[in-house]
Amino acid sequence: MSGQILFTDLDDTLLNDRKEVTPGSRRAIEAALARGKRIVVASGRPLSSALIQARRLELAGPGCFVIAYNGAVIYDCTREEAVSRRPMAREDLYAVFDEACRRGAYAHTYDREQVVIEERCDRSVAQWYCGRTDMTFRVIGDVRRDLAETPVKTLVIDREDTGVLEDMERWLGERLSGRVDFFRSSPQFLEMVTAGVNKGWAVEELCRRLGIPITDAVAAGDEANDISMLRAAGVGAAMCNGIPAAKEAADYVTQRDNNHDGIAEVIERFLL
């Protein structure tokens, strides 16, 4: 197969464990771009964080797109604006914050540029998360009162693996099924977006906008939030360091991991 467009996750897929792109993967990206292929960052990260990585890779110039918030935002780098934005319902956001707080868990959401937490949230967790994503955070009193714009995603974090995320997943399935879609982007992160939004939907939507057959699309990922795009693309490539469910959903599993040019392997096999 000679794919025309690659949708790649960031953490543990394109990025190694040090949050860097390996030299081999960078060379493969440059070779693909030189042949007129498109490469799209498709991340669960907030838009501002995903754009930082895309700019470092020179994948945020004219003609480029970035998928952020697990598909809730599709950003056109030429127009410098979101061409698709699908927010959560405010009442669902409020319910998640209240339930997380009741369980003693940390939750945050986002505005256009920053992570947003309530005063009752643990600031040390916000600092840790922002250090991983090149972001800053701001503190508000209450999401009901102090959010100017309805956010597109909410995140609950459990750094200590206490089991609270499993409890939250059960609660979401019982209380917000059909209104909110939720999935893990790492063992420590439980992400929530409005129902019907995921990376797979965004891959299909962007291919439609670009006039690229979905059969010519390649997607690469490693986690549960990547499964929808692994299934949607003509070829879904899971990293060998990915979770078992991602590998099961994929058409191909890499031999090299994210620390050893795994994305280069995908590009060389399916785009060049």
Side-chain angles (χ1 to χ4, degrees):
M1 174 187 177
S2 181
Q4 299 304 308
I5 186 168
L6 171 66
F7 295 88
T8 177
D9 175 51
L10 285 175
D11 299 297
D12 299 318
T13 298
L14 177 59
L15 303 181
N16 63 17
D17 292 349
R18 297 169 62 184
K19 304 302 179 185
E20 299 169 341
V21 179
T22 62
S25 289
R26 186 176 293 274
R27 286 192 296 271
I29 289 169
E30 291 171 355
L33 294 173
R35 294 197 184 185
K37 310 292 184 174
R38 288 181 180 265
I39 297 180
V40 176
V41 168
S43 179
R45 290 191 186 205
L47 178 61
S48 59
S49 177
L51 278 172
I52 288 171
Q53 292 295 338
R55 287 171 181 142
R56 287 172 179 167
L57 290 164
E58 298 183 359
L59 297 176
C64 294
F65 292 82
V66 171
I67 293 170
Y69 297 110
N70 280 311
V73 169
I74 301 174
Y75 184 83
D76 184 336
C77 298
T78 303
R79 294 163 57 178
E80 297 186 340
E81 65 180 17
V83 294
S84 175
R85 185 179 188 276
R86 299 184 62 183
M88 293 181 66
R90 279 185 176 259
E91 57 267 30
D92 297 335
L93 175 76
Y94 305 155
V96 169
F97 264 76
D98 288 345
E99 186 64 19
C101 182
R102 189 182 73 80
R103 295 176 182 274
Y106 167 94
H108 74 229
T109 189
Y110 307 86
D111 60 19
R112 294 277 177 168
E113 298 295 334
Q114 293 180 293
V115 170
V116 178
I117 66 171
E118 291 184 322
E119 290 177 346
R120 56 183 172 174
C121 294
D122 186 342
R123 298 188 187 195
S124 68
V125 180
Q127 291 169 341
W128 171 78
Y129 175 85
C130 288
R132 290 168 56 97
T133 56
D134 299 304
M135 296 189 72
T136 58
F137 70 93
R138 68 183 180 97
V139 182
I140 62 174
D142 190 324
V143 290
R144 287 176 170 81
R145 183 184 66 240
D146 300 327
L147 285 174
E149 183 178 57
T150 305
V152 297
K153 191 182 84 168
T154 305
L155 182 65
V156 177
I157 298 177
D158 180 12
R159 291 184 63 186
E160 307 301 327
D161 193 23
T162 64
V164 70
L165 298 188
E166 289 82 356
D167 292 341
M168 284 293 298
E169 285 177 307
R170 284 190 288 271
W171 176 83
L172 286 162
E174 293 169 359
R175 298 292 297 274
L176 296 180
S177 178
R179 298 178 57 83
V180 169
D181 284 351
F182 54 94
F183 31 73
R184 298 288 188 93
S185 57
S186 82
Q188 298 165 314
F189 295 166
L190 176 61
E191 313 213 5
M192 286 139 281
V193 294
T194 195
V197 167
N198 52 54
K199 290 188 183 182
W201 175 85
V203 164
E204 292 174 348
E205 175 65 11
L206 187 51
C207 282
R208 183 189 67 78
R209 288 173 178 265
L210 296 174
I212 297 174
I214 194 70
T215 52
D216 289 344
V218 180
D222 69 289
E223 260 292 349
N225 66 322
D226 298 316
I227 289 173
S228 62
M229 74 171 179
L230 295 177
R231 290 174 172 163
V235 171
M239 306 299 291
C240 64
N241 53 279
I243 64 170
K247 297 177 187 178
E248 291 170 7
D251 304 295
Y252 178 79
V253 178
T254 64
Q255 297 181 23
R256 291 177 267 170
D257 65 19
N258 64 308
N259 292 314
H260 299 90
D261 302 336
I263 278 294
E265 179 182 339
V266 174
I267 291 172
E268 291 160 2
R269 186 177 183 93
F270 297 111
L271 276 83
L272 299 181

